[in-house]
Amino acid sequence: MSALVEAVRAGRSADVVSLLDGMTDAERRAEFPQLRALRKELRADPWTAEARRVYPALHAAGTACQTGAAGVAAWIAASDMRWWSASPGVLIDLLGDRSPAWLADVAHRLAARPASSRVPYELMAGLVRLSGCPVPTTEAYVHGWVEHIGHVWQRGNTILERLRTDPHLTPLVAALFETADVGGRLAWASSEGEDGWSGALARLTVEGALDRRATVVACVARLLRGGPASDHRMFLRVLQAFELTRDEERERVADWLALASDGPSPVAAHAQSVLAALALDGELPARRLAEMSGAVLFRTEKKIVRAQLILLGKVLARDASTADELLPAVAQAFGHEDSEAQERALKLVERHHRALGSDAVRDELRSAAKQLIPALRKRAADALGGDLDAPDAHAYEEVLPPAPQPVRLAPAPASVTELAEEIGALLAADGDVATFERALDGLVRETHRDREGLLEALAPVLTRRWWYGADARSHPVETSFTHPHGLAMPSQALELLLATLAGAVPTAALHSVLVHGTVSAGCVHAPLARTFETRVWELAHRVRTQPLPFLLSTPTWSTGLLEPDDLVTRLDAYRGLGARVSETDFALALLRVRRGDRARAAAAAERAAALGTVEGKRLADWLASAPPKPTCRRRTEEDRVLVDADGIPELGDGLPDVFGSLGEPVSGEPARWACPHWHEGIRPHWLALLPEARELVAARMLGDIASTAVHDSRGEAAILPLIAESGGEAGEAVRLGVAHGLGARHPEDRLAAVDAMLVLASRGQLDTAGLGTDLGELARRGAVKPSRLVESLRTAVSTGAYGTVWETLRHTLPVLLADVATGAAAAPARGLADLLAVAAECAERTGARGEVPHLADLADRRGSSRLTGQARRLRTALTPGAAA
């Protein structure tokens, strides 16, 4: 071992630098193979105290002992040495004697690395300074420069002062406007005035250090290009700091039009304000204002739409001759989703239509007015004349997405190679129920047919598992699968079976779990979790002791449902093979077998009885009975509305005890915080245990789903579409799950609830009256916020489900309006006006008629608040001839 390598192993960085300074290039190159071997050695366990001590010296030595620029750059930026690298000063000192061209090559190679490589800016900048090369303008370099300039607290000066002295100011500022995802870094180090980035850049354009025109053009172009919200906010602040003159604003009218039309809300609002000032000063032609309005009035932001209509009203008031050009632009708002925007636009037309000089324009306005809500259409007809009946006077027909159809499972993989590939994919990312069940059946089949061939095909998968190989076992492997988190994911169930197949789990441990049961927390999910786990543990035991020829419980359909004829055929095959049936496998097959189709079940029962086996007789008796229906009762606790479900003792008749626990009573209590069943990937497999009793499963999951609305948790409502696609009664538990999901905090949970709602509706299984009443009660208790519910229902109506949403809201609104109308509520719930707007739109579309309790009391109130206005709109839609 050389003196250099010895110093590196000891972590003596100062000695390493001293030794390298006295070496020639040839001597340095001769040391590199040993350094590379040391690096490979440290990679085996890079987090030890020894590795942390060695890495800085190794990083420095490896950098100095290479002569190729590419190799040096790769070594410096290596991810395995990123956390304990040598300091930039040490590296610059070691490389400082190289030629300028070589140093420039290294600097640009480092700058070309992704920003995530975290190459120190001080190192790149030092190499640029030594080489005298043009400064790189890559993402990594610009990000590093921004952080370097922004860390003023380390040196006591300001951003403006540091920018003034930067020799590469012009190219780096130009690159700043071209670099993605830099807004957050700028904002982090920014402050108000000239001490921040925006003020400093503006000041430098005034001083002449930066070309003002080029910088303004670059900033506007950056906003036009788009990007993340942080970039928009920051570069808008920069643009506003420039305080453009009227001449500068006038030069960029086309840019303001584009930003007002398509820019994010803050940027669009700024562009709109610039154009408004130009228009009010007579410097924006009516044609350009109309062009701008045609785009802006299609935006969904009410504030921007309202500001545009106010601007149009001011221009029309100043110059009535612009009516022919501007009123058609105003009419673009007739089709806006916000009825208040429609009414404001109609008022402008009513006020200025007499200034129209063209019959063609008047006809255009009449045509556009047909998009108005019914309450406004009569007013438009009075102002413009003519018949303004709605363009679609046909009877309303509900449009619902087609209900998803269950998918029949494909046969198990045909070869061990295909099976190994599928298992590898499932271990990397949990798949759906169908993929898991196919792989499970294939694993059982191939173990029975050719265990050695299966192990050979699985070798690439097994060698990557932590439990594979005797040296990796610091504790018994089985303990990792028996604690409460053991089989929390489907992939861990496959892990257990593979570990058993490879001999990593002793038979005695498998037998012990079957005798004493699995360790599972006593939460509401425990019966579902124990059933899933017990099945896997018995399969693992049979894999070791007496492999099964195939599984009886593999479902026919992706929902987990098993056709009775398929199960009879499998039992017949078992009889022919003389195979011993697995108790838990057969029990799960009984839970999954279809009994809802009584004719099919009766025919299969005759075939099963004719087998003459114990299992055939058991199946025949099972098919002769209808699937049980749980009885659920509502339970309210403060802001929670949950369910209690009565027990179903017959669910476990003749089945192992763990399966009988599925029929235990369900408490409405939510899961404990210590519940280990947090992984959402396991929930579809719980649902597939009882594919004809989703209400029972939903009752056990309701606490989790409710937390998406009550506690703002994320992801628990993802199971709702699968619950909607499953079988059995959709009662209190399913309905309350959908109701909570519609008021969830996060958009993805609300979208899942909307999907479930529409699937139930398309299957004819949605109790809209019950769902509406549930939503009203939850909103009244504060569990569901009306503002969130509005977003969900707007998503639903965007698919065409106006009737479904109306039938739901007609039962929600009376609950919410009761307190407002009687004065029991101090203030209306936030979002109630929007909820009334959605209801009014649905009533207008569907032609609904009738009364909503307490609506008239609210509509008859004095004033012009939005809540009162939407109440009047809904009443008008429900009672033709009522005053708007």
Side-chain angles (χ1 to χ4, degrees), residues 527 530 645-649 651 657 660-667 696 700:
R530 283 197 297 265
D646 292 341
I648 308 177
L651 193 63
D657 292 342
S661 67
L662 292 172
E664 293 176 353
V666 180
S667 169
L696 194 61
R700 295 193 179 278

Side-chain angles (χ1 to χ4, degrees), residues 91 202 232 312 314 484 633 707 837:
L91 297 179
H232 293 142
L312 288 167
K314 290 180 179 179
R633 298 178 305 281
S707 68

Side-chain angles (χ1 to χ4, degrees), residues 577-698:
L577 294 170
R580 184 169 68 87
V581 171
S582 162
E583 185 179 22
T584 57
D585 183 38
F586 180 59
L588 179 56
L590 292 179
L591 292 179
R592 284 178 166 173
V593 73
R594 185 197 296 270
R595 291 192 285 169
D597 187 337
R598 300 308 301 147
R600 184 178 300 182
E606 293 182 5
R607 287 185 56 208
L611 294 177
T613 62
V614 174
E615 290 78 19
K617 177 66 168 60
R618 180 73 184 91
L619 175 58
D621 294 342
W622 185 265
L623 291 173
S625 61
K629 295 182 180 180
T631 301
C632 294
R633 298 178 305 281
R634 301 169 68 84
R635 176 176 179 174
T636 58
E637 294 182 359
E638 298 180 356
D639 59 348
R640 308 298 293 270
V641 180
L642 300 172
V643 297
D644 286 341
D646 292 341
I648 308 177
E650 59 269 28
L651 193 63
D653 285 351
L655 301 182
D657 292 342
V658 68
F659 285 81
S661 67
L662 292 172
E664 293 176 353
V666 180
S667 169
E669 293 289 342
R672 300 183 309 175
W673 289 113
C675 169
H677 308 116
W678 52 266
H679 194 277
E680 63 186 58
I682 196 65
R683 295 187 180 110
H685 297 269
W686 292 345
L687 189 60
L689 297 174
L690 296 167
E692 285 192 313
R694 60 180 166 189
E695 181 75 358
L696 194 61
V697 181

